């Protein structure tokens, strides 16, 4: 539901453009349309090599709210099928007790991905000189694991002729975007007054498998009795799983007073 794309050539400063070196790509969605009912939709299906079927769907709905207002809502859902498998190795034995202390995760298509979200926008035109628009945008991205796979260090070919990993713990990622903004466009006669207010929130929760990096230390401590792995939510049998949360909140406010175009002096 895109109206147009704009490209701002770089490099940019530290304000608008956020220090981008190449360029800034700005996408402009369609505004709600007054006095017009509009419904559109689309759906698709695809096949992933070494994986399975994926699918997607999207829809747009626009409806007038009397003569001075309108609402526009769009939403989408996409599922990408995974193609990387986690293969189990032979279980290792505790040197003191002889018991099995763990094996790698056995699962198929662990790098599947889901993306879904939508946008809702309300436009108010109470007078010919005043326009107010309120918008909320949300998007969730979920991944079951990374797209990386194990290779032969000599030939750089994938092991066993397949896309496989050998991980001990799942490595899911969940990313959430939330953006809320409002604009006021007011023609006051001698100039045009414009206000833009926005609040955005980004949250990423991920789990990482650091068993290979620290596994030897864990096994040594477990074998000498320094730690136990039973019942611990982080130190599982022959596994170390790290949890990380990254989040940012941003608030911006812009006021602009601009002279009419076409005059001798523009400001």
């Amino acid at each position: 539901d895109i109206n147009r794309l704009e490209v701002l050539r770089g490099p940019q400063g530290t304000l608008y453009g956020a220090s981008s070196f190449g360029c800034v790509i700005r996408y402009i969605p369609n505004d709600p349309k007054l006095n017009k009912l509009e419904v559109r939709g689309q759906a698709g299906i695809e096949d992933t090599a070494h994986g399975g079927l994926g699918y997607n769907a999207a829809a747009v709905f626009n409806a007038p709210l009397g003569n001075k207002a309108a609402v526009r809502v769009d939403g989408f859902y996409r599922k990408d099928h995974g193609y990387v498998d986690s293969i189990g190795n032979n279980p290792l034995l505790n040197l003191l007790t002889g018991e099995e202390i763990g094996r790698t995760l056995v699962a198929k298509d662990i790098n599947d991905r889901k993306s879904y979200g939508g946008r809702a926008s309300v436009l108010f035109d109470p007078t010919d000189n005043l326009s107010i628009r309120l918008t909320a945008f949300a998007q969730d991205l979920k991944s079951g694991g990374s797209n990386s796979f194990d290779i032969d260090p000599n030939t750089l070919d994938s092991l066993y002729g397949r896309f496989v990993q050998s991980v001990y713990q799942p490595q899911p990622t969940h990313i959430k975007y939330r953006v809320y903004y409002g604009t006021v466009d007011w023609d006051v006669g001698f100039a045009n007054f414009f206000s833009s207010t926005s609040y955005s929130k980004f949250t990423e929760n991920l789990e990482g498998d650091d068993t290979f990096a620290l596994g030897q230390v864990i096994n040594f401590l477990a074998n000498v009795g320094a730690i136990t792995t039973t019942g611990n939510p982080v130190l599982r049998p022959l596994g170390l799983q790290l949890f990380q949360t990254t989040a940012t909140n941003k608030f911006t406010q812009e006021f602009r007073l601009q002279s009419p175009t076409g005059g001798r002096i523009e400001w």
Side-chain angles (χ1 to χ4, degrees):
D1 195 27
I2 300 298
N3 180 276
R4 68 186 184 276
L5 293 175
E6 297 179 353
V7 178
L8 179 66
R9 291 187 297 178
Q12 292 297 317
T14 57
L15 299 178
Y16 189 83
S19 305
S20 63
F21 181 76
C23 69
V24 177
I25 299 178
R26 181 175 180 233
Y27 65 92
I28 312 298
N30 287 318
D31 289 337
K33 299 178 181 179
L34 300 175
N35 304 317
K36 183 177 181 180
L37 180 64
E38 181 182 359
V39 179
R40 299 203 316 268
Q42 67 178 34
I45 188 171
E46 62 188 23
D47 181 60
T48 303
H50 307 283
L53 292 178
Y55 48 88
N56 61 83
V60 179
F61 174 76
N62 187 96
L65 302 175
N67 297 326
K68 299 293 186 180
V71 60
R72 191 175 187 90
V73 179
D74 58 58
F76 68 93
Y77 182 91
R78 180 180 180 89
K79 168 67 181 299
D80 295 323
H81 203 284
Y83 55 87
V84 177
D85 302 331
S86 180
I87 58 174
N89 60 0
N90 294 326
L92 300 182
L93 299 180
N94 187 304
L95 298 179
L96 299 180
T97 65
E99 298 178 350
E100 293 184 2
I101 58 176
R103 67 168 70 229
T104 54
L105 177 70
V106 179
K108 291 182 64 64
D109 306 325
I110 59 176
N111 63 326
D112 63 316
R113 298 176 184 273
K114 297 178 181 178
S115 175
Y116 53 90
R119 178 177 65 100
S121 185
V122 181
L123 175 65
F124 300 97
D125 274 350
T127 68
D128 294 338
N129 299 329
L130 178 62
S131 177
I132 302 172
R133 183 161 56 94
L134 304 175
T135 303
F137 170 81
Q139 181 177 11
D140 281 36
L141 305 171
K142 292 185 177 181
S143 171
S146 71
N147 295 330
S148 63
F149 52 90
D150 299 337
I151 63 172
D152 186 312
N154 296 318
T155 65
L156 301 183
D157 294 330
S158 59
L159 291 182
Y160 317 114
R162 301 159 50 201
F163 300 113
V164 298
Q165 293 182 14
S166 184
V167 296
Y168 287 86
Q169 309 293 345
Q171 302 184 86
T173 300
H174 185 191
I175 298 176
K176 297 173 63 176
Y177 292 99
R178 299 294 185 266
V179 182
Y180 312 94
Y181 60 93
T183 59
V184 176
D185 194 351
W186 185 19
D187 184 358
V188 295
F190 70 95
N192 181 264
F193 173 78
F194 183 83
S195 171
S196 175
T197 308
S198 68
Y199 173 79
S200 63
K201 185 174 183 178
F202 164 83
T203 305
E204 178 182 20
N205 293 294
L206 61 88
E207 301 178 23
D209 180 14
D210 276 22
T211 306
F212 287 108
L214 302 175
Q216 294 182 350
V217 176
I218 297 174
N219 291 337
F220 173 78
L221 296 176
N223 289 330
V224 300
I227 62 172
T228 60
T229 59
T230 303
N232 192 305
V234 176
L235 293 175
R236 300 173 183 173
L238 198 66
L240 178 64
Q241 193 169 19
L242 299 182
F243 304 89
Q244 175 179 326
T245 297
T246 303
T248 58
N249 298 328
K250 295 182 180 181
F251 173 81
T252 62
Q253 174 62 60
E254 175 188 349
F255 296 112
R256 185 171 71 245
L257 193 65
Q258 181 177 341
S259 65
T261 58
R264 288 191 172 186
I265 300 178
E266 296 183 0
W267 48 270

